Amino acid sequence: MNASELGIVELQRALAQRELSCADHVEALIARTEAAAGLNGYVDFDPAPLRAQARQADAQRAAGTALPLLGIPIALKDNIDTADLPTSAGTGALRGKRPKADAEIVRRLKAAGAIVAGKANMHELAFGITCNNAVTGAARNPWAPDRIPGGSSGGSAVVVAAGLVPAAIGTDTGASVRLPAALCGVAGLRPTVGRVPGRGIAPIASTRDTAGPIARSVEDLALLDAVLTGDATPVPDASLAGLRLGIPRERFWGELDAPVAAVMDDALQRLRAAGVVLVEVALPGLDALNDATGFPVALFEFLDEMPRYLRDAGHGVDIAQLLAGIGSPDVAGILRPLLAGGAIPEAVYRGALETRGQLQRLYRDTFESNAVRALVFPTSPLTARPIGQDETVEFNGRQVPTFLAFIRNTDPGSNAGIPGISLPAGIASDGLPVGLALDAPAGSDRQLLGIAAAIERVLPRAAMPSIS
């Protein structure tokens, strides 16, 4: 048994059957984490408290305590408050600072018996998708350490994909759980906005933000979703025979990196062979609605909500100090102008919320009028690109904006607040992972997990990269 390759449910079985102790498992993870230090997946990892938590979990198990995550190590993105570990949101002004209390989702994880393994690296203040952070250093993709892992929850995907922890919690505003999951070859869930409590998480925008799990299987995602949300509704078994999935061909499939296109063609063949009915659908006006919603909402709400978060956390840092301490040029270029006359006017924000309502109706009408359970598409149109290409990347022979290229397919569903999931779909010809995404109607998260579990069974089994 390779303890570092175990997912949550597999680890639970091994612990229950006494094939492994929590202490033994943690020792294996510590050794692998030390061997993979060059990936820079963690920004805060201390073996001593991890060992202490494991010993306590073993004692609880011996005493007959039964909890859904007892003794399971979980990594947390560094924008999720932990009272006993610093929470920096990847930015200089908060480095080394500990908030007053755990985030609500951390409280829930601990109440379920989880062990906090450490804090994972991220794009600074979660405003980016490369995880090339000038303050904490770049997180590196385990499949190719010169490549980005995606972001902003890049470190969370790195530590899961590299076998340093069975699962992690990230946050997703436009792509930030699903994109790194896809680029690192693991699974990631973005819940419907509002299902997961946001108290104690450094915000971008409450209208768009949600925490979500990254793991090695849909079964593990479903277990974590139940703990995070308090929704223990059983995940229904889904049959692929006759299942109707929408293919938004023109908008989401129109231009793909050649290696991505090949993996996606194979995935669609597997779905058809399993009996899935693929229905061509259109989302007219999607881009205009999405563009009018995304940044106005994010930038207005950030300037409104971040000061409140800083006060509640007790950091002794105000918004001006926070923005002055930004180290990453791409993030500074977005946020510093907000305090220099570049704030989003409230009228523009109110208009963006109205547009968001239209975007939500477009999705709702698309699902209903085509009688499809979910939309299926490539999580990212391209595979991971080299670290340092923060402004532009090569895409089909031309240079395109890095941020917009990578969030092209995930951003609209995020702005609509609907649930989305990314599954490992295979390894491309360039040796890098590719993700298959599903978006579903608002509130149908548990049904989406059932569909994803059925699809997962017909896709190539996810592999784990070697760590030298």
Side-chain angles (χ1 to χ4, degrees):
M1 178 192 301
N2 187 339
S4 63
E5 294 185 358
L6 297 176
I8 295 175
V9 175
E10 295 167 327
L11 177 57
Q12 287 175 322
R13 295 190 189 108
L15 293 171
Q17 295 169 9
R18 299 188 179 181
E19 298 172 357
L20 189 69
S21 69
C22 297
D24 289 339
H25 180 244
V26 159
E27 286 303 323
L29 297 186
I30 290 170
R32 192 166 175 90
T33 299
E34 291 171 347
L39 296 177
N40 201 27
Y42 281 116
V43 293
D44 198 303
F45 179 82
D46 186 347
L50 187 52
R51 289 183 173 115
Q53 291 177 82
R55 289 194 297 270
Q56 181 180 12
D58 280 332
Q60 288 177 282
R61 283 186 169 273
T65 302
L67 295 170
L69 294 176
L70 184 55
I72 306 297
I74 306 290
L76 302 173
K77 186 177 180 178
D78 192 32
N79 63 347
I80 300 171
D81 281 359
T82 45
D84 53 354
L85 289 171
T87 302
S88 76
T91 199
L94 301 182
R95 290 286 279 170
K97 293 185 179 295
R98 297 187 182 188
K100 290 179 179 178
D102 287 337
E104 171 60 20
I105 62 170
V106 176
R107 187 196 66 77
R108 293 184 181 192
L109 288 166
K110 289 181 176 179
I115 293 172
V116 176
K119 302 303 283 288
N121 204 351
M122 58 181 284
H123 204 100
E124 190 167 1
L125 289 171
F127 270 92
I129 55 83
T130 66
C131 253
N132 186 21
N133 188 325
V135 176
T136 60
R140 298 179 177 275
N141 194 311
W143 290 90
D146 66 326
R147 302 294 178 113
I148 65 169
S152 61
S153 308
S156 298
V158 168
V159 296
V160 176
L164 313 188
V165 71
I169 309 299
T171 63
D172 191 312
T173 301
S176 296
V177 162
R178 295 154 296 160
L179 176 64
L183 298 191
C184 292
V186 289
L189 172 69
R190 174 194 164 85
T192 298
V193 169
R195 287 184 72 244
V196 179
R199 184 183 66 78
I201 301 176
I204 290 180
S206 58
T207 296
R208 297 181 55 182
D209 293 346
T210 180
I214 295 175
R216 298 199 191 107
S217 71
V218 175
E219 189 176 24
D220 288 354
L221 293 180
L223 176 56
L224 288 170
D225 177 72
V227 171
L228 295 176
T229 65
D231 179 5
T233 302
V235 172
D237 291 330
S239 171
L240 295 185
L243 176 70
R244 292 173 61 89
L245 297 179
I247 299 271
R249 181 74 66 181
E250 183 177 348
R251 169 55 176 76
F252 290 79
W253 294 77
E255 184 179 10
L256 303 177
D257 211 7
V260 172
V263 173
M264 288 295 99
D265 286 345
D266 176 71
L268 291 186
Q269 290 176 18
R270 290 169 181 266
L271 292 179
R272 289 191 184 98
V276 173
V277 178
L278 298 174
V279 181
E280 300 274 343
V281 302
L283 290 97
L286 177 73
D287 283 326
L289 295 174
N290 189 59
D291 292 346
T293 300
F295 270 103
V297 169
L299 296 181
F300 183 91
E301 291 188 356
F302 174 81
L303 206 56
D304 179 59
E305 295 172 9
M306 179 57 83
R308 188 180 315 121
Y309 163 79
L310 294 172
R311 290 193 300 271
D312 291 347
H315 287 314
V317 173
D318 64 22
I319 188 69
Q321 293 168 318
L322 182 80
L323 300 190
I326 295 173
S328 303
D330 60 332
V331 181
I334 296 171
L335 295 182
R336 284 187 184 151
L338 295 179
L339 294 184
I344 301 294
E346 184 168 356
V348 173
Y349 169 65
R350 297 299 172 192
L353 292 181
E354 291 181 8
T355 305
R356 180 176 184 261
Q358 298 174 42
L359 180 65
Q360 291 174 315
R361 286 193 293 275
L362 175 61
Y363 270 102
R364 186 167 57 248
D365 291 346
T366 299
F367 291 123
E368 292 177 357
S369 63
N370 293 282
V372 294
R373 298 281 300 281
L375 304 181
V376 61
F377 51 89
T379 311
S380 168
L382 62 169
T383 55
R385 292 300 192 254
I387 293 169
Q389 297 182 359
D390 299 316
E391 298 299 325
T392 65
V393 291
E394 188 278 329
F395 181 43
N396 287 340
R398 68 186 192 281
Q399 291 294 310
V400 299
T402 303
F403 182 77
L404 295 178
F406 277 106
I407 71 165
R408 187 191 81 184
N409 285 359
T410 55
D411 196 47
S414 305
N415 283 318
I418 60 178
I421 194 167
S422 181
L423 305 175
I427 303 300
S429 58
D430 59 6
L432 296 169
V434 174
L436 178 76
L438 297 162
D439 277 354
S444 68
D445 302 54
R446 303 299 280 180
Q447 291 78 20
L448 174 60
L449 286 162
I451 292 169
I455 291 174
E456 179 183 55
R457 290 191 285 270
V458 303
L459 295 176
R461 182 173 174 80
M464 183 177 289
S466 61
I467 303 299
S468 59

